[in-house]
Amino acid sequence: RKEVEQDPGPFNVPEGATVAFNCTYSNSASQSFFWYRQDCRKEPKLLMSVYSSGNEDGRFTAQLNRASQYISLLIRDSKLSDSATYLCVVNRGFQKLVFGTGTRLLVSP
Amino acid sequence: SAVISQKPSRDICQRGTSLTIQCQVDSQVTMMFWYRQQPGQSLTLIATANQGSEATYESGFVIDKFPISRPNLTFSTLTVSNMSPEDSSIYLCSVEEAGRSDGYTFGSGTRLTVV
Protein backbone atom coordinates (compact mmCIF):
# COMPACT_ATOMS: atom_id res chain seq x y z
CA ARG A 1 0.00 0.00 0.00
CA LYS A 2 1.30 3.46 -0.87
CA GLU A 3 1.91 5.85 1.98
CA VAL A 4 -0.18 8.56 0.27
CA GLU A 5 -3.00 7.48 -2.02
CA GLN A 6 -5.03 9.53 -4.46
CA ASP A 7 -7.50 8.78 -7.20
CA PRO A 8 -5.48 9.47 -10.38
CA GLY A 9 -8.52 10.64 -12.33
CA PRO A 10 -8.78 12.30 -14.73
CA PHE A 11 -11.71 14.30 -13.48
CA ASN A 12 -13.42 15.92 -16.47
CA VAL A 13 -15.67 18.79 -15.38
CA PRO A 14 -17.31 21.75 -17.14
CA GLU A 15 -16.44 25.31 -16.27
CA GLY A 16 -18.27 26.46 -13.17
CA ALA A 17 -18.54 23.00 -11.65
CA THR A 18 -17.52 22.07 -8.13
CA VAL A 19 -15.05 19.22 -7.85
CA ALA A 20 -13.60 17.43 -4.83
CA PHE A 21 -10.41 15.42 -4.52
CA ASN A 22 -9.63 13.00 -1.72
CA CYS A 23 -6.39 11.66 -0.35
CA THR A 24 -5.57 9.15 2.37
CA TYR A 25 -2.27 8.66 4.19
CA SER A 26 -1.07 5.68 6.16
CA ASN A 27 1.48 7.14 8.58
CA SER A 28 -0.38 8.38 11.64
CA ALA A 29 2.73 10.27 12.78
CA SER A 30 2.56 12.58 9.76
CA GLN A 31 2.93 16.16 10.86
CA SER A 32 1.80 18.50 8.15
CA PHE A 33 -0.14 18.32 4.96
CA PHE A 34 -0.28 20.20 1.69
CA TRP A 35 -1.89 20.36 -1.69
CA TYR A 36 0.44 21.16 -4.56
CA ARG A 37 -0.48 21.92 -8.13
CA GLN A 38 1.64 20.67 -11.02
CA ASP A 39 1.10 21.84 -14.57
CA CYS A 40 2.32 19.73 -17.46
CA ARG A 41 6.13 19.78 -17.68
CA LYS A 42 6.38 22.21 -14.77
CA GLU A 43 7.53 21.95 -11.20
CA PRO A 44 5.03 21.49 -8.36
CA LYS A 45 3.83 24.69 -6.71
CA LEU A 46 2.25 25.00 -3.31
CA LEU A 47 -1.49 25.50 -3.56
CA MET A 48 -2.31 25.48 0.13
CA SER A 49 -1.52 23.96 3.47
CA VAL A 50 -4.12 21.78 5.13
CA TYR A 51 -5.20 22.17 8.75
CA SER A 52 -7.60 20.26 10.97
CA SER A 53 -9.67 23.40 11.30
CA GLY A 54 -10.02 23.65 7.55
CA ASN A 55 -8.38 26.12 5.26
CA GLU A 56 -10.07 28.25 2.61
CA ASP A 57 -8.41 30.36 -0.05
CA GLY A 58 -10.86 31.87 -2.49
CA ARG A 59 -12.46 29.06 -4.47
CA PHE A 60 -10.30 26.40 -2.79
CA THR A 61 -11.08 24.67 0.50
CA ALA A 62 -8.90 22.04 2.12
CA GLN A 63 -9.80 19.81 5.04
CA LEU A 64 -7.88 17.38 7.21
CA ASN A 65 -9.36 14.55 9.24
CA ARG A 66 -6.58 13.13 11.40
CA ALA A 67 -8.75 10.40 12.89
CA SER A 68 -9.54 9.01 9.45
CA GLN A 69 -6.15 10.03 7.99
CA TYR A 70 -7.96 11.72 5.17
CA ILE A 71 -7.36 14.99 3.31
CA SER A 72 -9.65 16.70 0.85
CA LEU A 73 -9.56 19.57 -1.61
CA LEU A 74 -12.69 21.26 -2.89
CA ILE A 75 -12.62 23.57 -5.91
CA ARG A 76 -15.69 25.70 -6.52
CA ASP A 77 -16.62 27.48 -9.75
CA SER A 78 -13.93 25.67 -11.75
CA LYS A 79 -11.97 27.69 -14.31
CA LEU A 80 -10.20 26.46 -17.42
CA SER A 81 -6.96 27.51 -15.75
CA ASP A 82 -7.59 25.04 -12.92
CA SER A 83 -6.72 22.19 -15.30
CA ALA A 84 -3.63 20.58 -13.77
CA THR A 85 -2.51 17.68 -11.62
CA TYR A 86 -3.16 18.13 -7.90
CA LEU A 87 -0.67 16.46 -5.60
CA CYS A 88 -1.48 15.48 -2.04
CA VAL A 89 1.69 15.85 0.03
CA VAL A 90 2.42 14.70 3.56
CA ASN A 91 5.34 15.73 5.74
CA ARG A 92 6.02 12.71 7.88
CA GLY A 93 8.66 14.41 9.95
CA PHE A 94 12.30 15.40 9.57
CA GLN A 95 11.30 17.43 6.51
CA LYS A 96 10.53 14.29 4.53
CA LEU A 97 7.77 14.98 2.06
CA VAL A 98 5.82 12.06 0.64
CA PHE A 99 3.90 12.78 -2.53
CA GLY A 100 0.77 11.13 -3.82
CA THR A 101 0.71 10.25 -7.49
CA GLY A 102 -1.62 13.14 -8.19
CA THR A 103 -5.16 13.66 -9.41
CA ARG A 104 -5.54 15.06 -12.87
CA LEU A 105 -8.25 17.68 -13.43
CA LEU A 106 -9.49 18.73 -16.85
CA VAL A 107 -11.89 21.67 -16.96
CA SER A 108 -13.65 22.10 -20.29
CA PRO A 109 -15.59 25.06 -21.74
CA SER B 1 9.59 32.83 -1.11
CA ALA B 2 13.00 31.71 -2.35
CA VAL B 3 13.79 31.79 -6.05
CA ILE B 4 15.60 28.70 -7.34
CA SER B 5 17.63 28.48 -10.51
CA GLN B 6 18.23 24.93 -11.70
CA LYS B 7 20.55 23.99 -14.56
CA PRO B 8 20.48 22.43 -17.05
CA SER B 9 16.78 22.49 -17.81
CA ARG B 10 17.13 19.42 -20.00
CA ASP B 11 19.80 17.14 -21.42
CA ILE B 12 20.17 14.05 -23.54
CA CYS B 13 23.06 11.88 -22.43
CA GLN B 14 24.78 8.71 -23.52
CA ARG B 15 24.56 5.72 -21.24
CA GLY B 16 27.61 5.26 -19.04
CA THR B 17 28.25 8.99 -18.71
CA SER B 18 27.50 11.30 -15.79
CA LEU B 19 25.55 14.54 -15.52
CA THR B 20 25.82 17.16 -12.79
CA ILE B 21 22.75 19.26 -12.04
CA GLN B 22 23.12 22.58 -10.28
CA CYS B 23 20.70 24.30 -7.98
CA GLN B 24 21.22 27.94 -6.95
CA VAL B 25 18.99 29.70 -4.43
CA ASP B 26 18.71 33.46 -4.07
CA SER B 27 18.75 33.29 -0.26
CA GLN B 28 20.43 31.21 2.40
CA VAL B 29 18.51 28.06 3.22
CA THR B 30 19.14 25.42 5.81
CA MET B 31 18.10 22.35 3.93
CA MET B 32 18.01 21.46 0.27
CA PHE B 33 16.37 18.37 -1.16
CA TRP B 34 16.74 16.44 -4.39
CA TYR B 35 13.77 14.64 -5.92
CA ARG B 36 13.20 12.42 -8.92
CA GLN B 37 9.98 12.29 -10.92
CA GLN B 38 9.91 9.37 -13.30
CA PRO B 39 7.57 9.45 -16.31
CA GLY B 40 3.95 9.31 -15.18
CA GLN B 41 4.95 9.08 -11.53
CA SER B 42 4.97 11.41 -8.58
CA LEU B 43 8.02 12.82 -6.84
CA THR B 44 10.36 10.63 -4.83
CA LEU B 45 12.92 12.06 -2.43
CA ILE B 46 16.48 11.05 -3.32
CA ALA B 47 18.41 12.77 -0.56
CA THR B 48 18.64 15.71 1.81
CA ALA B 49 21.66 18.00 1.46
CA ASN B 50 22.91 19.87 4.50
CA GLN B 51 25.72 22.37 4.34
CA GLY B 52 28.90 21.09 5.95
CA SER B 53 27.88 17.46 6.23
CA GLU B 54 27.27 14.47 4.01
CA ALA B 55 23.93 14.15 2.33
CA THR B 56 21.35 11.81 3.80
CA TYR B 57 20.01 9.33 1.25
CA GLU B 58 16.62 7.69 1.15
CA SER B 59 16.13 3.97 0.81
CA GLY B 60 16.98 2.84 -2.70
CA PHE B 61 19.40 5.67 -3.41
CA VAL B 62 23.16 5.53 -2.82
CA ILE B 63 25.94 8.06 -2.79
CA ASP B 64 27.98 6.30 -5.48
CA LYS B 65 25.11 6.67 -7.94
CA PHE B 66 23.89 10.12 -6.85
CA PRO B 67 26.76 12.07 -5.26
CA ILE B 68 25.67 15.41 -3.85
CA SER B 69 27.61 18.51 -2.93
CA ARG B 70 26.48 21.35 -0.67
CA PRO B 71 29.38 23.78 -0.42
CA ASN B 72 27.37 26.67 1.03
CA LEU B 73 23.88 27.73 2.07
CA THR B 74 22.78 28.81 -1.42
CA PHE B 75 24.07 26.08 -3.73
CA SER B 76 23.95 22.33 -4.26
CA THR B 77 24.71 19.85 -7.03
CA LEU B 78 23.40 16.39 -7.78
CA THR B 79 25.35 14.09 -10.08
CA VAL B 80 23.70 11.19 -11.83
CA SER B 81 26.56 8.75 -12.39
CA ASN B 82 27.09 5.96 -14.89
CA MET B 83 23.70 6.63 -16.41
CA SER B 84 21.38 4.06 -17.90
CA PRO B 85 18.05 4.56 -19.69
CA GLU B 86 16.29 3.83 -16.37
CA ASP B 87 17.71 7.11 -15.05
CA SER B 88 15.63 9.06 -17.58
CA SER B 89 13.54 11.25 -15.37
CA ILE B 90 12.96 14.76 -14.14
CA TYR B 91 15.24 15.77 -11.28
CA LEU B 92 14.13 18.63 -9.04
CA CYS B 93 15.76 20.46 -6.19
CA SER B 94 13.70 21.89 -3.39
CA VAL B 95 14.34 24.10 -0.41
CA GLU B 96 12.88 24.59 2.98
CA GLU B 97 13.13 28.21 3.96
CA ALA B 98 14.32 29.01 7.46
CA GLY B 99 11.48 29.83 9.79
CA ARG B 100 8.77 28.68 7.40
CA SER B 101 6.73 25.54 7.74
CA ASP B 102 4.13 26.14 5.08
CA GLY B 103 5.54 24.08 2.29
CA TYR B 104 8.58 23.92 0.12
CA THR B 105 9.72 25.63 -3.07
CA PHE B 106 10.89 23.67 -6.10
CA GLY B 107 13.29 24.41 -8.89
CA SER B 108 11.98 24.15 -12.44
CA GLY B 109 13.53 20.72 -12.86
CA THR B 110 16.04 19.02 -15.14
CA ARG B 111 14.55 16.72 -17.76
CA LEU B 112 17.11 13.99 -18.38
CA THR B 113 16.94 11.50 -21.23
CA VAL B 114 19.52 8.72 -21.36
CA VAL B 115 20.01 7.03 -24.72
Side-chain angles (χ1 to χ4, degrees):
Chain A
R1 183 189 173 193
K2 293 179 181 174
E3 188 167 343
V4 178
E5 296 214 54
Q6 295 181 251
D7 182 342
F11 284 58
N12 290 284
V13 302
E15 270 186 294
T18 295
V19 61
F21 304 141
N22 302 320
C23 170
T24 57
Y25 61 95
S26 60
N27 189 334
S28 59
S30 299
Q31 299 180 354
S32 52
F33 309 87
F34 310 96
W35 283 102
Y36 276 75
R37 170 190 170 133
Q38 187 172 27
D39 292 285
C40 187
R41 294 177 174 267
K42 298 285 189 182
E43 74 275 19
K45 293 187 178 177
L46 179 65
L47 179 65
M48 58 199 309
S49 301
V50 189
Y51 307 115
S52 297
S53 56
N55 189 21
E56 185 171 321
D57 183 3
R59 299 182 292 108
F60 299 84
T61 301
Q63 289 277 355
L64 166 65
N65 184 322
R66 282 190 182 268
S68 302
Q69 295 180 199
Y70 170 95
I71 304 160
S72 66
L73 176 67
L74 182 75
I75 304 175
R76 291 179 296 277
D77 188 23
S78 299
K79 312 291 184 189
L80 295 177
S81 57
D82 293 334
S83 297
T85 297
Y86 291 83
L87 302 170
C88 176
V89 184
V90 172
N91 183 343
R92 59 168 145 97
F94 304 103
Q95 293 80 34
K96 292 188 191 295
L97 298 185
V98 181
F99 285 76
T101 52
T103 298
R104 193 167 169 217
L105 172 65
L106 300 172
V107 181
S108 54
Chain B
S1 61
V3 176
I4 302 174
S5 173
Q6 189 173 336
K7 297 179 183 178
S9 59
R10 61 178 62 231
D11 208 339
I12 301 173
C13 301
Q14 296 288 330
R15 68 180 66 198
T17 63
S18 298
L19 175 71
T20 296
I21 301 167
Q22 300 180 0
C23 184
Q24 178 75 53
V25 189
D26 69 343
S27 58
Q28 293 186 339
V29 294
T30 305
M31 306 186 71
M32 296 180 74
F33 307 88
W34 288 98
Y35 287 84
R36 180 174 73 181
Q37 187 171 28
Q38 294 178 301
Q41 304 291 317
S42 194
L43 282 77
T44 301
L45 180 64
I46 297 172
T48 302
N50 299 314
Q51 192 267 335
S53 63
E54 281 200 3
T56 304
Y57 289 82
E58 296 299 302
S59 176
F61 298 96
V62 295
I63 188 170
D64 290 345
K65 177 66 176 178
F66 298 102
I68 288 172
S69 78
R70 182 81 200 273
N72 56 53
L73 291 174
T74 64
F75 186 78
S76 178
T77 67
L78 170 76
T79 298
V80 186
S81 303
N82 188 24
M83 288 183 284
S84 65
E86 291 70 36
D87 294 322
S88 297
S89 188
I90 300 172
Y91 294 86
L92 301 107
C93 66
S94 175
V95 302
E96 178 200 35
E97 300 175 57
R100 292 188 62 177
S101 61
D102 58 347
Y104 298 72
T105 302
F106 287 83
S108 55
T110 297
R111 184 176 295 273
L112 171 62
T113 302
V114 184
V115 297

